[in-house]
Amino acid sequence: MRVFLFKIASKQRWTLYIEKSEFFSKKVDIEPVTTSSSSNNNNNIILSSQSKGVLILNKLKNIAIESKNEIDNAQDGVGLKGKLKSLLSYLESKIHPEEAVLQQFSKINDNNLIKKHNHHNHHNHHIHHNNNHNNNHNNNNNNQNETVKNQFEHFNEHRDKASFTIYYPSNIGYRRANRFSQVLMRQKIRFHQKWMIINSLLIPITFAATILPGPNIFLAYNLYRLYGHFQALKGCTNLSRYTKSHGRLLFKPSLEMFECLEGELQQQQKQQQQQQQQQQQLQEEEQSIDNPSSYEKLSTRLRIPGLFDYVKRIETIENK
């Protein structure tokens, strides 16, 4: 998985983008919780040890899922359910696009961070290959060079690799790239922690709306956002943790990003210094996103077509 760390010129801050994130679902599916009477003894022990709070939360989740299913099956703008569906779609369109990207890291753990390969078979093959090579060493030196080359290529193909790589403009260096990502994660952790508290406090109020006619969209959306913030917070925590412990493995410089973004921004800064009127400077800052010679050029060279729309969405939401 390719991850890109770059600076949004109009916002003067850094962000992350995952390739093909435009295809990520904007909706967080909350699976219903069911219990079976045919569970084994271990499951019974687990269920009996659940706190009342967990059971209440599961009940609320099931109510929210039922309400959300009623809304999803309604026709837009037709009747009460249709109007509620339109309202829900409008609220979902206001969710920050970075949240869906951060949620992709919520499932990263120690087991799947590094892609392991079968080193045992490789080691046996390597020993057998070396024995054959030593027997013929005095006969052909060219075979030695070819063997070293093949071993090097074989090592690169079978070595352990990270499940994702964070590419950054080559001119900023590894330390600054890691620091910028840590700053972004700290900001997002505070943001999602705050909204998790707010959504948690709203649960009793939104649950009380069950007495109103129709599906309880208020409870459904509130729990949906609570779960979304939880997934994003978990992703931020994972990303912050693993970029600290495995930063040298995860980060990789990109000359293409520097040429497309930083080089273009430096040229724009020189042009802005030559402009004396403040109105012309503001127009140039607005063109930092609309100008296809920067972000769209990067999208083309790195084959990430959704990057331009991703930046536009961030700018639109944060300007409001």
Side-chain angles (χ1 to χ4, degrees):
M1 181 172 65
R2 294 192 303 168
V3 185
F4 301 92
L5 174 70
F6 63 94
K7 186 177 184 179
I8 302 179
S10 62
K11 295 300 175 182
Q12 293 298 309
R13 73 172 184 86
W14 293 78
T15 188
L16 290 173
Y17 176 80
I18 300 178
E19 62 176 338
K20 299 182 180 180
S21 63
E22 63 271 20
F23 300 110
F24 293 163
S25 175
K26 296 180 181 179
K27 300 180 180 180
V28 179
D29 295 329
I30 306 178
E31 297 181 355
V33 178
T34 58
T35 58
S36 175
S37 59
S38 61
S39 300
N40 55 30
N41 294 332
N42 292 333
N43 291 335
N44 290 332
I45 295 175
I46 295 175
L47 291 175
S48 62
S49 62
Q50 286 183 329
S51 64
K52 292 183 179 180
V54 174
L55 296 176
I56 293 175
L57 180 60
N58 291 339
K59 182 178 180 180
L60 292 175
K61 285 170 59 177
N62 290 331
I63 295 175
I65 290 169
E66 293 177 0
S67 301
K68 193 171 185 299
N69 289 337
E70 290 185 40
I71 296 297
D72 291 338
N73 295 329
Q75 186 176 358
D76 289 334
V78 179
L80 176 61
K81 294 181 181 179
K83 293 180 180 179
L84 291 176
K85 184 177 182 180
S86 300
L87 175 61
L88 185 61
S89 300
Y90 171 78
L91 294 175
E92 288 176 344
S93 67
K94 300 301 179 181
I95 298 176
H96 202 287
E98 287 178 332
E99 184 173 316
V101 171
L102 296 174
Q103 288 171 353
Q104 304 308 309
F105 299 99
S106 61
K107 297 181 180 180
I108 298 295
N109 53 51
D110 295 336
N111 296 326
N112 59 23
L113 176 66
I114 307 297
K115 296 180 180 179
K116 299 291 184 179
H117 291 273
N118 191 343
H119 294 282
H120 179 70
N121 293 336
H122 168 68
H123 179 68
N124 291 338
H125 173 76
H126 180 70
I127 294 176
H128 177 71
H129 187 77
N130 281 342
N131 291 335
N132 292 335
H133 169 71
N134 290 333
N135 292 333
N136 300 321
H137 177 71
N138 295 326
N139 297 329
N140 195 340
N141 291 331
N142 292 331
N143 288 340
Q144 179 183 9
N145 296 332
E146 188 68 21
T147 300
V148 173
K149 179 180 179 181
N150 291 336
Q151 290 177 351
F152 182 75
E153 293 177 354
H154 186 74
F155 170 77
N156 286 333
E157 292 176 358
H158 292 80
R159 66 177 180 176
D160 295 341
K161 297 180 181 179
S163 58
F164 66 92
T165 303
I166 304 177
Y167 294 91
Y168 60 89
S170 57
N171 66 313
I172 66 174
Y174 160 74
R175 291 185 178 181
R176 293 177 64 190
N178 200 337
R179 185 170 70 251
F180 292 151
S181 67
Q182 291 295 331
V183 170
L184 175 63
M185 290 305 102
R186 286 195 295 268
Q187 293 173 347
K188 292 302 176 180
I189 286 175
R190 290 194 296 268
F191 174 81
H192 292 294
Q193 284 178 337
K194 179 186 72 173
W195 279 101
M196 279 188 65
I197 295 174
I198 294 175
N199 290 127
S200 298
L201 295 175
L202 288 175
I203 289 178
I205 300 175
T206 53
F207 179 74
T210 306
I211 62 175
L212 299 176
N216 191 349
I217 185 179
F218 307 103
L219 177 63
Y221 182 76
N222 186 55
L223 290 179
Y224 156 69
R225 294 304 300 129
L226 176 60
Y227 186 74
H229 288 302
F230 169 74
Q231 290 291 91
L233 177 62
K234 188 176 179 181
C236 291
T237 304
N238 289 341
L239 193 59
S240 177
R241 172 190 172 190
Y242 290 118
T243 51
K244 286 181 180 179
S245 60
H246 297 79
R248 293 290 181 180
L249 178 64
L250 298 177
F251 284 91
K252 185 176 181 179
S254 172
L255 181 61
E256 290 84 355
M257 294 185 68
F258 165 66
E259 293 176 347
C260 295
L261 295 179
E262 297 297 332
E264 183 70 23
L265 292 176
Q266 290 177 0
Q267 183 178 358
Q268 290 180 1
Q269 290 176 357
K270 292 180 181 179
Q271 294 177 354
Q272 289 178 0
Q273 291 176 357
Q274 297 174 358
Q275 300 291 338
Q276 296 182 354
Q277 297 182 357
Q278 185 177 5
Q279 183 177 1
Q280 293 178 346
Q281 292 178 352
L282 294 175
Q283 291 176 353
E284 289 180 1
E285 290 177 359
E286 294 175 354
Q287 291 174 357
S288 63
I289 296 297
D290 297 331
N291 190 354
S293 63
S294 54
Y295 293 102
E296 284 193 340
K297 182 190 294 184
L298 179 64
S299 299
T300 302
R301 292 188 61 176
L302 297 182
R303 298 180 182 179
I304 43 176
L307 176 65
F308 182 75
D309 292 335
Y310 178 77
V311 176
K312 289 287 291 182
R313 283 191 62 202
I314 291 179
E315 185 186 37
T316 301
I317 291 178
E318 294 187 357
N319 283 341
K320 293 182 180 180

